[in-house]
């Protein structure tokens, strides 16, 4: 029997077939985009991004950095 927590955990780690992003990666990119829009296109400080991402996903700051590296988000605000 599958429990709701099992399904939720599974959805966190399986990439979506549409774009290859996990739910967590999609949330990070969404929050980054919205915050950058609020800052009129300026770079988003990692601490600010981390605080806002925590509203959606429970993760450590080190985990956020791993996700940002995987997504190609550079510390200076540029993308690969």
């Amino acid at each position: 029997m599958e429990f709701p927590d099992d399904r939720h955990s599974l959805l966190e780690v399986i990439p979506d077939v549409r774009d290859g992003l996990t739910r967590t990666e999609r949330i990070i990119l969404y929050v980054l985009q919205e915050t950058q829009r609020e800052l009129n296109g300026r770079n988003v400080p990692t601490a600010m991004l981390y605080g806002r991402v925590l509203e959606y996903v429970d993760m450590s700051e080190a985990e956020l950095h791993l996700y940002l590296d995987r997504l190609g988000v550079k510390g200076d605000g540029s993308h690969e």
Side-chain angles (χ1 to χ4, degrees):
M1 178 173 175
E2 184 178 2
F3 296 99
D5 288 341
D6 292 339
R7 184 171 183 258
H8 180 72
S9 297
L10 191 59
L11 291 175
E12 289 291 323
V13 296
I14 293 180
D16 192 299
V17 69
R18 296 170 293 180
D19 56 15
L21 295 174
T22 65
R23 178 180 175 275
T24 301
E25 290 168 338
R26 187 172 286 105
I27 288 170
I28 291 169
L29 290 175
Y30 171 78
V31 172
L32 177 62
Q33 179 185 24
E34 290 300 307
T35 307
Q36 198 168 31
R37 185 176 295 138
E38 288 177 27
L39 298 175
N40 295 318
R42 294 190 323 240
N43 294 341
V44 177
T46 306
M48 179 184 282
L49 178 63
Y50 178 61
R52 291 180 179 209
V53 167
L54 281 180
E55 295 176 18
Y56 299 93
V57 181
D58 184 26
M59 67 170 50
S60 69
E61 191 173 350
E63 288 175 303
L64 176 65
H65 284 282
L66 290 174
Y67 277 107
L68 293 175
D69 289 344
R70 192 173 338 156
L71 293 167
V73 178
K74 301 282 189 179
D76 62 358
S78 65
H79 300 174
E80 288 182 338

